[in-house]
Amino acid sequence: MAASIYRSWGGFPQIDQRGEPLVWRTDPLPGAGDEEDASLLPFGNGRSYGDVCLNRGGTVLDTRALDRFIRFDREQGIIRCESGVLLAALLHLVVPAGWFLPVSPGTRYATVGGALANDVHGKNHHYAGTFGCHVTALELLRSDGSRLVCTPEENSELFGATIGGMGLTGLVTWVELQLRRVQGALLKEESVKFSNLNEFFRLSELSDGNFEYTVAWVDCVSRGDSLGRGLFARANHDSSDYTGRERSDKPSVSVPFCPPVSLVNRWSLKAFNAFYYARQRERKRVRTLHYQSFFYPLDSIGNWNRIYGPKGMLQYQCVLPGDDGRTMMHEMLSTIAGSGNGSFLAVLKVFGDKSSPGMMSFPRPGVTLALDFPNRPDVFRLLDRLDAMTREVGGAVYPAKDARMSAESFQAYFPAWREFAEHIDPGFSSSFWRRVGGEVL
Ligand SMILES: Cc1cc2nc3c(=O)[nH]c(=O)nc-3n(C[C@H](O)[C@H](O)[C@H](O)COP(=O)(O)OP(=O)(O)OC[C@H]3O[C@@H](n4cnc5c(N)ncnc54)[C@H](O)[C@@H]3O)c2cc1C
């Protein structure tokens, strides 16, 4: 199988690995390859930005053909499906039946297995916690051939290690999930303009009790009194039935080719951010919209990651806890704006305090910032500075978005890593884990 189809979304790093497409969930695991230290790693749909889904020199287990639904209880909203089912396909089935994903990331092109293995979060973290909070059972296939059904009660330690376990505890063949009731496909959204970071924090406090979904776009270029200005989106599912036509899952437009250099630079950033902030004239705009437009605006542009050119991009997502975290967020945004780097889409959200069953889960109470950067040498230095800030306040960086953090940083962010390592399947590994999971001398 050609190596080139197994890339992560950021396009960095680009590595050689073998791909082994899986066909039946009842089949045994394939061998890892001839090399002595070759290992296996499940691959969902490559929507992770960095190397958490990559396995240099080893084999990735391509789960995309494991896309069958196994059971759907329409009364109770409990669904069991194979791990390669895309969130988009799941929504197609359950929304007309009056159910919705309890938690969704900002792309519907992630698989159920990938969502579980990174314990993804969404705009409703303050309300519903992470994806893993709603998993009722899963089956894990280990390299010794054993199949274990894991639930919060049965094989509970492996259950906790597998949720957010980055594919390292074995192959998840199927997942069972408790869905959330909805009336239809629509949401009612308010978009509120805010002029600085303190206003963002006030809006979050005022909104989180009344709105299931809250998230903000932030202008990462503005400085001084306007530092952290942006647009705050807050929404609830709408109670009206949607009678419109079913929407397509295909992007409406696509970036047709990869330009020779990144289109994201100091000038395009400044122009886009100023335009986007000014586009909403009124302080508050209210509208009713389809779930695809609210949750997945980026999915409507196919291959948007190509705008970063052949070298790809680096995402950075951190969470900064407590009052110190809020103060540090000012410093972080100011550092990013001063660097002249940043992205068209920078996202801010305050995470709630719902804990996840996942031992290595990333979200924790605090403010989270996510944005991407073109892959350039000065960006690596900038991200090292952001890491130092994150560590100073006891925060963490999200492995699903990472391709460069040091082992030292990772182990400070995830103190449970040693306990987690005991649950790793000896036949499984990843480029990410080999980078961050060794003893720091
Ligand atoms: C536009 C965009 C928006 C995003 N928004 C968010 C967001 O809001 N919140 C968020 O949390 N994330 C977000 N992400 C990240 C994305 O949701 C996660 O990286 C997700 O895990 C990707 O799923 P995937 O199926 O593509 O898995 P991959 O990226 O292929 O793999 C992810 C991990 O899951 C493991 N894995 C995959 N399948 C299995 C399996 N069957 N058994 C065991 N392990 C498995 C892999 O080994 C790997 O470690 C976003 C990504 C994009 C591109």
Side-chain angles (χ1 to χ4, degrees):
M1 184 65 46
S4 61
I5 62 165
Y6 299 106
R7 294 273 182 254
S8 62
W9 192 246
F12 174 82
Q14 293 181 6
I15 60 166
D16 286 332
Q17 56 191 355
R18 243 165 35 94
E20 193 70 58
L22 305 180
V23 182
W24 300 105
R25 68 176 181 276
T26 46
D27 283 348
L29 287 174
D34 300 334
E35 286 170 38
E36 214 175 277
D37 55 355
S39 57
L40 300 171
L41 182 73
F43 187 90
N45 201 28
R47 254 47 185 191
S48 300
Y49 282 79
D51 55 0
V52 82
C53 60
L54 301 179
N55 192 15
R56 187 191 290 272
T59 298
V60 289
L61 305 171
D62 183 342
T63 61
R64 285 174 288 192
L66 299 184
D67 60 355
R68 301 165 192 98
F69 292 98
I70 301 169
R71 190 181 302 156
F72 179 24
D73 179 339
R74 287 166 192 261
E75 294 302 314
Q76 304 298 322
I78 297 174
I79 192 155
R80 184 180 288 193
C81 64
E82 289 182 342
S83 58
V85 167
L86 288 179
L87 301 183
L90 193 143
L91 287 166
H92 259 308
L93 176 73
V94 306
V95 173
W99 296 97
F100 203 78
L101 279 168
V103 167
S104 177
T107 177
R108 63 193 189 284
Y109 301 131
T111 63
V112 168
L116 180 142
N118 274 326
D119 196 15
V120 299
H121 56 273
K123 300 172 172 64
N124 62 349
H125 183 270
H126 62 282
Y127 178 87
T130 61
F131 190 85
C133 296
H134 307 274
V135 172
T136 48
L138 60 92
E139 184 188 66
L140 194 64
L141 175 54
R142 305 269 287 183
S143 62
D144 62 5
S146 59
R147 284 176 189 269
L148 302 161
V149 173
C150 304
T151 74
E153 292 81 32
E154 194 182 348
N155 296 311
S156 57
E157 286 202 350
L158 260 182
F159 182 76
T162 301
I163 291 176
M166 299 166 282
L168 296 164
T169 60
L171 175 77
V172 174
T173 57
W174 57 255
V175 177
E176 190 179 88
L177 196 61
Q178 172 67 63
L179 302 167
R180 179 221 184 281
R181 257 262 178 249
V182 288
Q183 290 291 105
L186 302 179
L187 288 105
K188 190 153 208 181
E189 181 210 52
E190 296 182 7
S191 170
V192 186
K193 210 164 179 177
F194 58 93
S195 41
N196 56 44
L197 194 54
N198 289 334
E199 253 188 57
F200 160 79
F201 284 124
R202 266 198 302 280
L203 270 169
S204 274
E205 271 156 27
L206 285 174
S207 309
D208 279 359
N210 302 320
F211 292 87
E212 183 170 343
Y213 302 100
T214 60
V215 73
W217 166 83
V218 60
D219 172 356
C220 64
V221 178
S222 63
R223 304 166 79 171
D225 290 345
S226 305
L227 181 80
R229 70 180 184 178
L231 301 169
F232 191 93
R234 50 192 193 189
N236 286 314
H237 288 280
D238 195 52
S239 51
S240 61
D241 288 338
Y242 177 60
T243 48
R245 150 180 90 76
E246 187 61 24
R247 294 223 179 160
S248 156
D249 264 330
K250 300 266 180 311
S252 37
V253 285
S254 230
V255 179
F257 61 89
C258 190
V261 291
S262 169
L263 302 180
V264 183
N265 55 45
R266 194 180 282 268
W267 297 280
S268 58
L269 271 179
K270 218 172 166 182
F272 177 86
N273 279 277
F275 160 78
Y276 199 76
Y277 184 71
R279 206 178 59 146
Q280 180 175 317
R281 296 238 178 107
E282 60 277 47
R283 157 113 175 121
K284 184 163 99 176
R285 190 191 63 189
V286 183
R287 59 182 179 158
T288 302
L289 73 181
H290 192 269
Y291 74 82
Q292 287 187 3
S293 311
F294 177 73
F295 287 104
Y296 314 115
L298 281 174
D299 286 349
S300 62
I301 309 168
N303 299 317
W304 63 262
N305 49 352
R306 286 182 178 161
I307 62 170
Y308 285 94
K311 288 191 187 156
M313 63 161 142
L314 298 147
Q315 252 263 341
Y316 192 79
Q317 181 169 1
C318 63
V319 53
L320 309 181
D323 290 342
D324 289 350
R326 289 180 176 216
T327 309
M328 188 59 93
M329 188 52 78
H330 283 88
E331 199 176 324
M332 194 174 267
L333 282 176
S334 169
T335 304
I336 294 168
S339 77
N341 282 299
S343 65
F344 298 149
L345 187 69
V347 173
L348 270 179
K349 156 131 196 92
V350 175
F351 282 150
D353 57 7
K354 296 216 163 30
S355 63
S356 162
M359 195 182 281
M360 297 295 281
S361 190
F362 158 72
R364 55 206 77 185
V367 55
T368 184
L369 169 71
L371 73 171
D372 31 61
F373 298 91
N375 174 11
R376 289 202 318 243
D378 59 321
V379 162
F380 283 79
R381 289 191 293 276
L382 171 68
L383 299 187
D384 285 346
R385 283 175 70 196
L386 304 189
D387 267 357
M389 293 177 188
T390 302
R391 282 177 68 172
E392 197 181 317
V393 294
V397 165
Y398 191 11
K401 309 279 183 86
D402 179 69
R404 35 64 55 197
M405 77 168 111
S406 67
E408 219 171 355
S409 289
F410 172 78
Q411 292 170 19
Y413 301 146
F414 294 91
W417 75 276
R418 263 205 196 81
E419 191 194 338
F420 167 72
E422 289 168 19
H423 298 287
I424 293 181
D425 186 307
F428 282 58
S429 185
S430 68
S431 294
F432 174 82
W433 186 254
R434 289 189 292 278
R435 179 161 57 81
V436 303
E439 291 293 337
V440 177
L441 300 172

